[in-house]
Amino acid sequence: MGSDADAKLVRQESQGAENGNKGEKRWSLTDFDIGKPLGRGKFGNVYLAREKQSKYVVALKVLFKNQLQQSQVEHQLRREIEIQSHLRHPNILRLYGYFYDQARVYLILEYAAKGELYKELQRCKVFSEKRAATYVASLARALMYCHEKHVIHRDIKPENLLIGLKGELKIADFGWSVHTCNRRRTLCGTLDYLPPEMVEGKEHDAGVDVWSLGILCFEFLYGTPPFEAKKHSDTYKRIVRVDLRFPSKPVISTSARDLICQLLVKDSAQRLPLNKVLSHPWIVNNADPSGVYNGHN
Ligand code: AMP
């Protein structure tokens, strides 16, 4: 992928945008051959699909308008489309375009051939330090790119990460991302990945993604997020206190634990900046420079 076919898809996408609603070339379902279902989401299903002209393989996400309306997430979807379609980074899932009919909205997404990172972590239980560091470095690069564009993801967790054909990590799902903060709806899902300032409903900034990176790094190495507790209220307390405890098993290097400690800091201004994450010794010594986990270590 990323070849002539990619250029064709992009060209058509920008034509559609230029033409707006004037009735000229826009995407429609007839432009695609639909293949196997790739997964089921909260608001619809995702299918493997091929654009007929370019033969370019994509993932087509089909969302039902009535379900979006019922859950009052149309605004969120608009924001997701607006933000994700403008991002171009090897570790961010491309959104090539969208179209709709009476009942559904269709998102034309980059196909992540190796599926969900979450399932990989469930299968492996924990990742090796090399694999974890490769993913953390990829995430740090993608988040730096987002933050330079004043986009905060705010929902970095294993369920929102996909794996490409070569094993490269792709951030998906910009449903909670923002240019500015939106405090009202941040506590709907799991608390596990949220920083103290967000669980306490305080102002927050790009530092929230740095915190989530620390949570993920811990989870990759130990198999569970650090502040997990049976009760929501206990997770809340542990996050606010930064009650960070490293299990004795598996044995993890001091260097990895040092990075986690520098990311999971209560004061967001004191968290390790993302460029320094990339030069941290644990990343330098463990992350694959190609950014791809090749499955051998
Ligand atoms: P979602 O509605 O985004 O949660 O997607 C539902 C499921 O479809 C995910 O859990 C993935 O297994 C799969 N999926 C979604 N997007 C893609 C994609 N771009 N490439 C491959 N699989 C995907």
Side-chain angles (χ1 to χ4, degrees), residues 37-48 58-63 80 84 93-94 107-119 159-163 170 172-173:
L38 293 172
R40 184 185 286 264
K42 196 169 163 212
F43 301 107
N45 300 329
V46 183
Y47 298 91
L48 191 63
V58 296
L60 200 63
K61 191 169 186 171
V62 184
L63 304 159
E80 179 173 358
Q84 202 174 342
L93 196 79
R94 272 291 297 276
L107 304 186
I108 311 165
L109 292 163
E110 177 183 359
Y111 171 48
K114 291 202 173 143
E116 293 172 64
L117 184 96
Y118 178 68
K119 287 210 181 121
E159 294 88 329
N160 289 342
L161 303 175
L162 294 173
I163 308 177
K170 305 264 177 193
D173 204 336

Side-chain angles (χ1 to χ4, degrees), residues 171-189:
I171 303 183
D173 204 336
F174 279 72
W176 287 112
S177 61
V178 274
H179 279 115
T180 53
C181 70
N182 168 4
R183 286 170 19 182
R184 197 166 55 84
R185 303 171 75 181
T186 49
L187 296 180
C188 298

